[in-house]
Amino acid sequence: MSNILGVLFIMRKFKLILFAFSILVGQQIIAKEIWINLFNGKNLSGWTRKTGDAKFYVSDNCIVGEAVSGSDTNSVLCTKKSYDNFILELDFKVDHQLFSGVHIRSEYATNEIRLNWNGVALTIPGGNVYGYLVLIDPSPNHRWWTASLYDQRWWTAGIYDEKRRMWLYPGSLGGDPDEFSRQGKEIFKTNDWNHFRIEAVGDSIKTYLNSVLCAHINDSMTLKGFIGLQVRDWISDDDHETLEGAKVRFKNIRLKPVSLKLPKAGLSPKTLTETNSMPKN
């Protein structure tokens, strides 16, 4: 009798192990399936242009942004869907003279928008994309606008607040400009493919360039918006090269939603008020 009970006990234990293993395998399958491909490698389905005159097209399984001269507006190709908490990964390759970037949690101002953020009045002109921009800054000739603190600037993976507060990191929310440049020069791959990982969870935004943590801010001004690929249309500051035909390429664009459970009060910044102005005649 004891032998029979022993066998039954072993069988029951074995079934529990199999059950636990099946749950683990199921979780691994779910984890693999949670990534969303934002680009199918064939066409621009799921994307739409919001601003600018740059050319966006698909070539060799890449989204290509090609600059055109005579345009004074940044060009942004945006996802049709908005995202709040996520991990975004992509690869990019950019011509050395072209200024570019990846918008996250960004929005489009159809009409003029007036903001009050921590007592500071901000105005966003209509017809512009605004929000967080993770910079692609490949040219050492680009300088900080107000001071020459260093010889060269390599600010790829820096965080810029387009049409609102300008530089956040390095800038008003942290980061030493000189140190950021030194690190950027070491890890950026000129005329080669680079990898972005961007984590936006709650009020935390982290950027990684080629697996190296570059920027980390805590900011709750915008908690949801579209993803955008930017081509900045201007002439290089120092060498005056025309940007006509300069290209930035994006591939392997994927996003993983992140579940976040926070009190509602934590998701509604009390310091932000927004009003849409009526179109001007």
Side-chain angles (χ1 to χ4, degrees):
M1 184 68 177
S2 59
N3 290 336
I4 296 174
L5 291 175
V7 171
L8 291 174
F9 176 77
I10 293 173
M11 290 180 63
R12 184 181 178 186
K13 190 173 182 180
F14 182 70
K15 288 181 179 179
L16 288 173
I17 293 173
L18 285 178
F19 178 72
F21 180 75
S22 66
I23 292 176
L24 179 60
V25 171
Q27 289 176 339
Q28 290 177 340
I29 291 174
I30 291 173
K32 290 180 180 179
E33 292 177 349
I34 203 169
W35 284 98
I36 301 170
N37 290 320
L38 299 184
F39 170 50
N40 61 20
K42 300 176 182 178
N43 53 51
L44 298 180
S45 175
W47 296 80
T48 182
R49 175 202 296 272
K50 291 291 186 181
T51 60
D53 302 313
K55 302 174 184 176
F56 288 103
Y57 54 91
V58 176
S59 177
D60 295 329
N61 298 315
C62 301
I63 293 180
V64 181
E66 181 177 338
V68 296
S69 61
S71 175
D72 57 0
T73 304
N74 296 333
S75 301
V76 186
L77 183 71
C78 312
T79 58
K80 293 181 179 179
K81 294 182 179 180
S82 293
Y83 302 92
D84 48 13
N85 300 297
F86 56 83
I87 298 172
L88 174 69
E89 292 191 353
L90 58 86
D91 298 313
F92 67 90
K93 183 178 180 181
V94 61
D95 290 347
H96 78 92
Q97 74 269 37
L98 186 60
F99 214 37
S100 182
V102 177
H103 274 279
I104 62 167
R105 290 178 171 175
S106 292
E107 301 177 76
Y108 176 72
T110 304
N111 304 314
E112 182 183 89
I113 294 177
R114 296 175 183 174
L115 303 173
N116 188 293
W117 179 254
N118 291 335
V120 178
L122 303 171
T123 300
I124 301 170
N128 285 278
V129 169
Y130 64 97
Y132 302 114
L133 176 68
V134 180
L135 216 66
I136 296 176
D137 182 6
S139 176
N141 293 325
H142 294 137
R143 296 284 195 268
W144 176 241
W145 286 269
T146 57
S148 296
L149 301 177
Y150 36 80
D151 294 332
Q152 295 183 336
R153 192 182 90 183
W154 301 80
W155 282 13
T156 296
I159 303 174
Y160 186 82
D161 192 12
E162 185 82 353
K163 299 299 179 183
R164 295 191 301 198
R165 297 164 294 169
M166 299 180 69
W167 281 104
L168 301 181
Y169 197 106
S172 60
L173 297 185
D176 176 77
D178 292 312
E179 182 58 35
F180 200 78
S181 289
R182 282 191 287 270
Q183 176 178 274
K185 186 176 182 179
E186 291 178 0
I187 61 178
F188 182 82
K189 300 177 183 178
T190 302
N191 297 321
D192 201 352
W193 287 100
N194 291 268
H195 182 75
F196 263 163
R197 179 182 173 95
I198 303 167
E199 301 176 359
V201 182
D203 68 353
S204 172
I205 299 176
K206 295 181 180 179
T207 67
Y208 297 81
L209 174 62
N210 298 325
S211 301
V212 177
L213 176 64
C214 293
H216 182 198
I217 64 171
N218 291 99
D219 189 69
S220 58
M221 192 169 191
T222 305
L223 294 171
K224 185 176 183 178
F226 52 69
I227 308 297
L229 308 178
Q230 187 197 76
V231 174
R232 214 173 185 102
D233 293 330
W234 60 20
I235 295 176
S236 179
D237 294 338
D238 290 353
D239 52 19
H240 301 292
E241 290 182 270
T242 178
L243 297 182
E244 180 74 36
K247 299 178 180 66
V248 57
R249 297 167 176 83
F250 302 93
K251 66 179 182 179
N252 302 324
I253 309 170
R254 63 177 190 162
L255 180 145
K256 180 165 67 174
V258 174
S259 297
L260 180 65
K261 294 181 180 180
L262 290 177
K264 292 184 179 179
L267 297 178
S268 302
K270 295 181 180 179
T271 52
L272 175 62
T273 58
E274 177 176 322
T275 57
N276 287 320
S277 300
M278 295 298 293
K280 297 179 181 180
N281 294 327

